[in-house]
């Protein structure tokens, strides 16, 4: 145990990790009047939260996650007003198309099931799809349309939460890497690599792909694997594609998704993931993966056939074996909470996760069901 | 060893001399060139159907140009030359190219990057008007296509190229409105000891300036650019500057050629994961290399203007030296004497390089003075004011962070032209040393390539690594 010095700061809650999860949690804790310390190793929103595809998509999610996703979607709708900054959320709709008959059935079933969770999806047949969204390629057999989903700018969203939290009184420490988290008596003592210490009776670990390093210190490691989804962006083109498009398929190589921003660039991702090295904070795009994306992009939107790619990138994301995040209270230590390991789909959830975690920490319970995400599911024995 | 796979990127002076050494050793290197002809920037060969004589194209450098061209012509059977081929990415041990819409992954044991330089640009209000070109573009228009960028051209910036291109324009019969150098004359005097490392080159430079003056062309030093005047419809109508005496004047012209010496093309080195260090003299980040051109990554060598702006002669020496270093690392016998001689050459060239940097400094202070409405990133049309706002109000004190918030450097050129000026603007806005602002990370592709590209048939399914 570390010698106890005068802590650099103390508060009701310490949040470790300034991605969208941590930054939004800090913001909503302040909304509830809790004092908060937000600790970030680099800069707020610099990791997965800042480099992701920007999909604010609910359809296709694990059904029991929809209440959380719906709650998040509602916050996205009033984000600018809440934060006083524009994160470029555009509810332009989201379409999942498919190329195979059996997949049409899968989309139909999902649409039916999602309705009971309050998510209305419209199934659109082949011809109607082409009439309403003429840019979609002729191979698409059907589409599932979610009119109220859309996309946002990941480069802006998490930093906007961080700044709004700071304006509302959160103590935000960037360039602060946490080495040791421990409970001493009633309080958590959180120590940075440079020796600074922070103290609070509640601790939220929201450290993304690095969360398991910290949860391990409380005897709760998780069996994650880490990968880098492969992204790219084209040169600016006339703004024609409003909704976000994605392919629903069981063949990994066929998966591609894209969105066009009003500036004109088309951002895309999908297919096989690339290598990511959390210890080095590096992730890479494999050129083969980019090359495999190209025919799929053209298949989805044939008009893209001759446009130029100007940049590719990736980011570091943790995946759990069941493709669900770790969220909720610790199964071992009172006052300890987790929100990490979002398996490639955490950007949409971010605002909702912040709101739910703040509610859980402040009120001791939340109206949004979190059981499927409990860390207890990974406990040995 | 004999079967070592060596790739040279670039067919300028550095690339050609590197290939020559490798071919001599029997290695049959692959030479990748984005352009269709060899010669590189300075000894750029004209398209096949053009027939200007070398003396006309290369002036005093004609003999060197023809020698380099002849050397490369003589190599053609011993190297695998791939023109019109862009090296768009590097992953460990593999170079990724695209040629006429076909991509290829080429494994290598040694990669010698001789990617040359581009103009180093400092924005000025109005530089986004049509009629403003970089010095390099102005020179390419003349060398490759025999056209001038305007009827009456003003030359603004600093560095030897400013005078060279102006005199080439003058010799070609274009009207030169004047040469306006931001560097004060006194610095040239101060840099003299270093410039004397290459007395002949220095003499050529002095002769060039004298010739411009004799032709009646105004040549001014110590100027401060104020604005390129004009309208979006009609383009450039004049160059407004504050002269050495402090008077603000407008020089009538319909085109401006602009450049502040050069910056190395370092994206391939960056993608190859080479270390970079801040060079305080030239105020730019340069890949770290040893005396022979070895980068921090084993098997990756950097030579010519793409590593240090040594000029064409220096590029020839550095290219040869890097190839010898690669040969030695691959287990070939290389005589010490050969390496030592080239090292001495390169050291002398490097001393001269530092003289040029001292005589023609990058006008960092101009960045601080740019009016807020000046466009900095021309690809994305982002202004100095916006960049200052994200630095001050949003805490974006680092180059990549500022890019994320403002889009400066997010366009087609990926910040190659605005990155260095952008860093100076941020540094001035928040009063911090420019090195602490860092540099924009290079991201593939090195230049845009079309979605229509397909992998060469035998490449399908090649695996370059396994996901972690
Ligand atoms: C390329 C890519 C594309 C994606 N596309 C989408 C998409 O379109 N839609 C979607 O919903 N989701 C998407 N995702 C997933 C989504 O981005 C993530 O699930 C989400 O951003 C995770 O947020 P986070 O806050 O948990 O993690 P992060 O954003 O990674 O934040 C964790 C933070 O914790 C900090 N940290 C870690 N350890 C420490 C420590 N010891 N001390 C201090 N700080 C520490 C890190 O520096 C980091 O800033 C994508 C992810 C990637 C990588
Ligand atoms: C615009 C400009 C004009 C110049 N004019 C003069 C002059 O008139 N006189 C003078 O003394 N010096 C001049 N210089 C400096 C001079 O060009 C150099 O000193 C010399 O040409 C450097 O040789 P090099 O081999 O290092 O690079 P270069 O001659 O620039 O050759 C670079 C080579 O690399 C290739 N290349 C680069 N990137 C890639 C890639 N990703 N994929 C494939 N191929 C690639 C290019 O096609 C080219 O063949 C000029 C420089 C510039 C930028």
């Amino acid at each position: 145990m570390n010698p106890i010095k005068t802590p650099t700061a103390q508060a009701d809650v310490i949040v470790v990790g300034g991605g969208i999860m941590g930054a939004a949690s800090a913001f909503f804790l302040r909304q509830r009047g809790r004092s908060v310390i937000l600790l970030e190793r680099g800069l707020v929103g610099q990791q997965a939260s800042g480099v992701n595809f920007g999909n604010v998509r609910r359809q296709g999610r694990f059904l029991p996650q929809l209440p959380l996703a719906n709650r998040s979607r509602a916050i996205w709708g009033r984000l600018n007003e809440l934060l006083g900054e524009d994160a470029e959320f555009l509810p332009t709709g989201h379409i999942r198309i498919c190329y195979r008959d059996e997949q049409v059935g899968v989309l139909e079933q999902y649409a039916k099931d999602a309705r009971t969770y309050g998510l209305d999806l419209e199934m659109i047949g082949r011809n109607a799809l082409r009439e309403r969204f003429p840019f979609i390629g002729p191979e698409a057999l059907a589409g599932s349309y979610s009119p109220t989903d859309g996309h946002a700018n990941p480069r802006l969203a998490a930093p906007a939460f961080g700044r709004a939290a700071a304006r509302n009184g959160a103590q935000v420490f960037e360039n602060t890497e946490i080495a040791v988290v421990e409970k001493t008596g009633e309080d958590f003592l959180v120590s940075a690599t440079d020796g600074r210490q922070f103290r609070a009776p509640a601790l939220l670990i929201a450290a993304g792909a690095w969360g398991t390093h910290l949860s391990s210190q409380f005897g709760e490691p998780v069996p994650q694997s880490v990968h880098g989804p492969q992204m790219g962006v084209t040169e600016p083109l006339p703004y024609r594609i409003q909704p976000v498009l994605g392919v629903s398929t069981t063949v990994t190589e066929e998966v591609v998704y894209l969105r066009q921003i009003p500036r004109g660039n088309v951002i895309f991702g999908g297919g096989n993931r690339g290598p990511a090295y959390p210890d080095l904070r590096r992730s890479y795009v494999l050129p083969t993966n980019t090359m495999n994306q190209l025919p799929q992009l053209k298949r989805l939107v044939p008009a893209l056939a001759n446009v130029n790619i100007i940049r590719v990138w990736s980011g570091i994301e943790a995946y759990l074996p069941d493709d669900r995040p770790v969220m909720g209270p610790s199964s071992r230590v009172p006052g300890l909470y987790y929100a990490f390991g979002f398996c490639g789909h955490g950007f949409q959830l971010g605002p909702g996760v912040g709101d739910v975690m703040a509610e859980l920490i402040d009120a001791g319970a939340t109206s949004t069901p979190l059981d499927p995400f409990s860390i207890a599911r990974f406990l040995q024995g | 060893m004999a079967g070592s796979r060596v790739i040279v990127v670039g067919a300028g002076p550095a690339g050609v001399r590197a290939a020559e050494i490798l071919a001599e050793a029997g290695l049959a290197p692959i030479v990748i060139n984005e352009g269709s002809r060899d010669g590189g920037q300075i000894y750029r060969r004209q398209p096949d159907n053009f027939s200007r004589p070398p003396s006309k194209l290369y002036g005093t450098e004609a003999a060197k140009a023809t020698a380099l061209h002849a050397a490369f012509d003589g190599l053609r059977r011993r190297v695998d030359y791939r023109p019109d081929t862009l090296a768009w990415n590097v992953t460990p041990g593999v170079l990724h190219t695209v040629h006429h819409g076909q991509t290829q992954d080429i494994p290598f044991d040694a990669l010698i990057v001789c990617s040359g330089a581009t103009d180093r640009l400092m924005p000025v209000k109005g530089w986004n008007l049509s009629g403003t070109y970089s010095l390099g573009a102005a020179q390419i228009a003349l060398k490759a296509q025999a056209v001038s960028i305007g009827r009456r051209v003003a030359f603004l910036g600093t560095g030897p190229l400013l005078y060279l291109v102006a005199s080439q324009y003058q010799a070609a019969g274009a009207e030169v409105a004047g040469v306006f150098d931001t560097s004060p004359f006194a610095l040239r005097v101060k840099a003299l000891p270093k410039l004397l490392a290459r007395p002949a080159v220095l003499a050529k430079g002095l002769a060039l300036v004298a010739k411009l003056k004799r032709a009646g062309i105004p040549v001014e030093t110590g100027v401060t650019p104020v604005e390129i005047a004009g309208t979006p419809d009609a383009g450039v109508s004049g160059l407004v500057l504050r002269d050495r005496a402090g008077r603000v004047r407008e020089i009538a012209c319909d085109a401006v050629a602009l450049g502040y010496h050069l910056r190395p093309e370092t994206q391939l080195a960056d993608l190859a994961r080479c270390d970079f260090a801040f060079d305080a003299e030239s105020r730019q980040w340069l890949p770290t290399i040893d005396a022979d051109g070895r980068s921090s990554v084993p098997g990756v060598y950097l030579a010519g203007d793409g590593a240090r702006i040594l000029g064409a002669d220096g590029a020839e020496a550095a290219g040869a030296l890097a190839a010898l270093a690669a040969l030695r690392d691959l287990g070939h016998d290389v005589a010490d004497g050969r390496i030592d001689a080239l090292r001495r050459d390169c050291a002398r060239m490097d001393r001269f390089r530092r003289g040029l940097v001292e005589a023609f400094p990058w006008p960092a202070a101009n960045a601080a003075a740019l009016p807020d409405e000046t466009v900095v990133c021309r690809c994305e049309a982002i202004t100095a004011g916006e960049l200052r706002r994200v630095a001050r109000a949003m805490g974006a004190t680092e180059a990549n962070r500022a890019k994320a918030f403002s889009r400066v450097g997010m366009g087609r050129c990926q910040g190659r032209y605005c990155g260095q000026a952008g860093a100076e603007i941020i540094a001035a806005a928040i009063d911090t040393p420019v090195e602490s602002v860092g540099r924009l990370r290079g991201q593939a592709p090195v230049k845009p390539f079309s979605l229509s590209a397909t992998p060469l048939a035998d490449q399908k399914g090649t695996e370059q690594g396994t996901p972690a």
Side-chain angles (χ1 to χ4, degrees):
Chain A
M1 196 191 296
N2 284 346
I4 299 177
K5 307 179 296 185
T6 315
T8 302
Q10 42 194 357
D12 296 336
V13 187
I14 290 174
V15 180
V16 180
I20 195 164
M21 307 305 167
S25 300
F27 174 81
F28 286 110
L29 281 162
R30 284 304 305 142
Q31 296 274 78
R32 291 170 174 270
R34 295 295 183 149
S35 59
V36 192
I37 294 169
L38 176 62
L39 302 172
E40 165 55 44
R41 182 180 52 207
L43 301 173
V44 169
Q46 207 177 20
Q47 295 296 336
S49 301
V51 300
N52 64 68
F53 170 70
N55 219 349
V56 180
R57 159 191 71 86
R58 282 174 292 169
Q59 65 169 325
R61 283 177 190 271
F62 173 55
L63 289 162
Q65 198 180 61
L66 285 178
L68 175 62
N70 290 341
R71 185 164 169 176
S72 201
R73 169 59 187 83
I75 301 170
W76 278 109
R78 47 193 190 91
L79 204 64
N80 293 2
E81 163 203 331
L82 267 178
L83 303 183
E85 286 187 34
D86 186 3
E88 298 175 5
F89 170 60
L90 297 172
T92 53
H94 179 278
I95 308 175
R96 291 177 91 205
I97 60 101
C98 65
Y99 300 126
R100 286 190 186 76
D101 281 327
E102 59 272 24
Q103 208 63 20
V104 179
V106 172
L107 289 180
E108 275 166 354
Q109 184 62 43
Y110 188 88
K112 215 167 122 212
D113 296 342
R115 195 151 300 133
T116 62
Y117 287 92
L119 173 61
D120 280 325
L121 301 174
E122 180 192 352
M123 282 304 295
I124 306 179
R126 187 172 194 158
N127 295 337
L129 196 62
R130 198 116 329 104
E131 259 161 48
R132 286 169 63 181
F133 308 103
F135 40 80
I136 295 179
E139 280 188 67
L141 295 185
S144 165
Y145 179 49
S146 173
T148 53
D149 283 340
H151 53 121
N153 188 338
R155 291 179 280 110
L156 303 180
F161 266 115
R163 277 189 299 274
R167 275 196 300 276
N168 294 353
Q171 304 177 66
V172 180
F173 295 86
E174 293 187 318
N175 301 309
T176 302
E177 174 164 18
I178 298 312
V180 181
V181 283
E182 60 200 319
K183 193 158 188 187
T184 58
E186 290 302 293
D187 278 353
F188 290 90
L189 186 64
V190 172
S191 308
T193 46
D194 61 8
R196 280 175 298 156
Q197 294 190 317
F198 306 86
R199 180 182 277 284
L203 173 64
L204 169 61
I205 307 286
W210 301 266
T212 187
H213 294 329
L214 300 173
S215 67
S216 301
Q217 296 185 29
F218 295 104
E220 295 178 295
V222 301
Q224 66 174 28
S225 57
V226 180
H227 306 287
Q230 313 278 283
M231 303 289 123
V233 62
T234 71
E235 62 191 328
L237 310 164
Y239 184 39
R240 295 281 185 278
I241 307 172
Q242 277 84 19
V244 182
L245 306 182
V247 176
S248 169
T249 170
T250 52
V251 183
T252 308
E253 286 72 21
E254 278 186 346
V255 176
V256 75
Y257 36 86
L258 64 86
R259 67 186 180 104
Q260 189 177 23
I261 57 171
R263 160 77 182 115
N265 310 73
V266 174
I267 298 154
F268 60 87
N272 288 313
R273 298 171 187 137
Y277 306 95
D279 294 345
L280 304 173
R281 279 165 245 162
R282 286 265 164 84
S283 54
Y284 296 103
V285 177
L286 298 180
T288 29
N289 287 345
T290 304
M291 291 315 294
N292 287 338
Q293 286 169 332
L294 304 188
Q296 299 303 333
L297 283 167
K298 289 181 274 194
R299 189 178 183 195
L300 181 55
V301 178
L304 293 177
N306 291 309
V307 311
N308 282 319
I309 297 176
I310 62 175
R311 186 167 47 253
V312 302
W313 72 94
S314 185
I316 304 167
E317 180 76 348
Y319 296 81
L320 280 311
D322 54 7
D323 249 349
R324 297 178 210 162
V326 175
M327 233 186 119
S330 156
S331 65
R332 304 184 55 166
V333 183
L336 176 62
Y337 301 86
Y338 297 123
F340 65 85
F342 280 86
C343 309
H345 56 246
F347 183 62
Q348 189 279 343
L349 296 177
V353 170
D355 192 25
V356 167
M357 295 312 293
E359 181 188 19
L360 181 63
I361 294 168
D362 175 53
T366 165
S367 52
T368 300
L370 296 182
D371 286 350
F373 314 121
S374 168
I375 198 163
R377 72 191 194 274
F378 299 118
L379 280 195
Q380 246 95 45
Chain B
M1 211 174 98
S4 297
R5 300 159 306 175
V6 185
I7 303 177
V8 177
V9 175
V16 168
R17 292 306 176 197
E20 189 173 38
I21 299 264
L22 297 163
E24 239 172 56
L27 281 190
I30 297 175
V31 178
I32 305 288
N33 181 19
E34 188 189 350
S36 44
R37 310 270 336 244
D38 55 289
Q41 193 62 258
I42 170 166
Y43 307 136
R44 174 179 298 274
R45 289 176 104 161
Q46 57 192 340
D48 282 334
N49 51 340
F50 282 56
S51 58
R52 290 162 294 172
S55 59
K56 191 131 200 245
L57 276 173
Y58 310 111
T60 56
E61 311 304 297
K64 285 184 203 163
T66 27
L68 194 83
H69 298 158
F72 196 67
D73 290 344
L75 283 176
R76 291 294 284 272
R77 262 188 218 92
R78 290 178 291 149
V79 302
D80 176 356
Y81 179 48
R82 307 194 185 175
D84 300 309
T85 304
L86 171 72
W88 70 274
N89 201 354
V90 195
T91 53
V94 185
L95 186 75
H96 304 274
T97 63
V98 55
H99 164 72
H100 292 168
Q102 291 208 298
T103 60
Q104 201 177 352
D105 307 329
I106 315 178
F108 62 81
D109 301 306
L111 173 68
I112 306 181
V113 179
C114 306
S115 49
T118 66
D119 299 276
R120 198 176 183 193
L121 298 177
M122 174 61 78
V124 52
K125 193 181 163 196
W127 73 319
N128 45 325
L129 292 171
S130 70
T132 308
Y133 292 78
S134 71
L135 283 171
Q139 194 189 44
I140 291 168
L142 193 65
K143 268 195 201 170
Q145 299 295 330
V147 296
S148 162
I149 60 168
R151 275 196 201 84
R152 189 177 146 80
V153 185
F155 289 82
L156 171 67
T158 197
L161 208 54
L162 183 69
Y163 298 89
L164 178 68
V165 182
S167 77
Q168 288 169 339
Y169 263 62
Q170 187 263 328
E175 187 184 351
V176 176
V179 179
F180 305 98
D181 190 331
T182 51
S183 304
F185 187 77
L187 289 180
R188 270 172 240 186
V189 180
K190 217 173 129 213
L192 212 54
K194 288 189 188 113
L195 293 175
L196 279 168
R198 299 179 68 187
V201 179
L202 179 61
K204 268 186 209 163
L206 293 174
L208 209 65
V209 179
K211 190 173 145 231
L212 282 166
K213 287 186 173 158
R214 263 202 317 280
I217 292 169
V219 176
E220 297 187 31
T221 55
V223 308
T224 309
V226 174
E227 176 177 2
I228 295 174
T231 60
D233 290 339
V236 173
S237 63
L239 169 64
V240 184
L241 50 80
R242 191 174 316 106
D243 65 20
R244 199 174 41 219
R247 283 169 311 204
V248 173
R249 289 157 40 207
E250 177 161 347
I251 287 93
C253 59
D254 64 357
V256 177
L258 184 76
Y260 295 83
H261 208 28
L262 302 169
R263 56 163 283 283
E265 278 282 52
T266 54
Q267 308 102 294
L268 283 171
D270 207 352
L271 292 167
R273 307 175 195 176
C274 299
D275 289 342
F276 281 64
F278 185 72
D279 176 51
E281 287 174 340
S282 64
R283 288 177 79 90
Q284 55 189 340
W285 291 83
L286 300 174
T288 42
I289 46 172
D290 74 0
D292 302 342
R294 287 181 188 84
S295 75
S296 61
V297 177
V300 177
Y301 305 80
L302 310 172
D305 275 8
R308 297 288 180 277
I309 310 294
L310 300 183
D313 297 348
E316 288 192 42
L321 186 53
L324 290 176
L327 283 175
R328 191 170 256 190
D329 296 347
L330 290 167
H332 291 248
D333 276 335
V334 177
D336 282 343
R338 248 182 132 181
I339 290 199
D340 289 343
L342 286 166
R343 277 188 194 159
R344 273 194 303 276
D345 273 357
C346 285
R348 190 164 53 83
M349 309 279 180
D350 198 57
R351 188 167 162 75
F352 184 77
R353 171 187 75 83
R354 293 177 51 216
L356 288 182
V357 167
E358 191 174 342
F360 303 104
W362 163 245
N366 291 9
L370 287 177
D372 273 346
E373 65 272 25
T374 311
V375 169
V376 174
C377 168
R378 289 181 300 176
C379 298
E380 295 297 302
I382 310 296
T383 62
E386 172 64 3
L387 194 50
R388 289 175 182 135
R389 184 186 72 81
V390 303
R392 292 191 184 122
M394 294 171 80
T397 60
E398 188 270 335
N400 296 287
R401 187 71 160 176
K403 169 180 163 183
F405 288 173
S406 72
R407 302 186 65 85
V408 162
M410 275 208 157
R412 284 186 179 87
C413 91
Q414 297 228 56
R416 284 152 67 232
Y417 293 100
C418 65
Q420 297 195 357
E424 296 286 1
I425 291 168
I426 296 167
I430 57 169
D431 197 17
T432 190
V434 71
E435 56 270 38
S436 74
V437 176
R439 65 187 181 93
L440 292 174
R441 275 185 300 271
Q443 283 169 285
V446 166
K447 299 214 178 128
F449 80 87
S450 172
L451 235 109
S452 62
T454 52
L456 252 188
D458 67 332
Q459 292 280 315
K460 286 207 172 102
T462 311
E463 205 58 66
Q464 282 103 43
T466 40

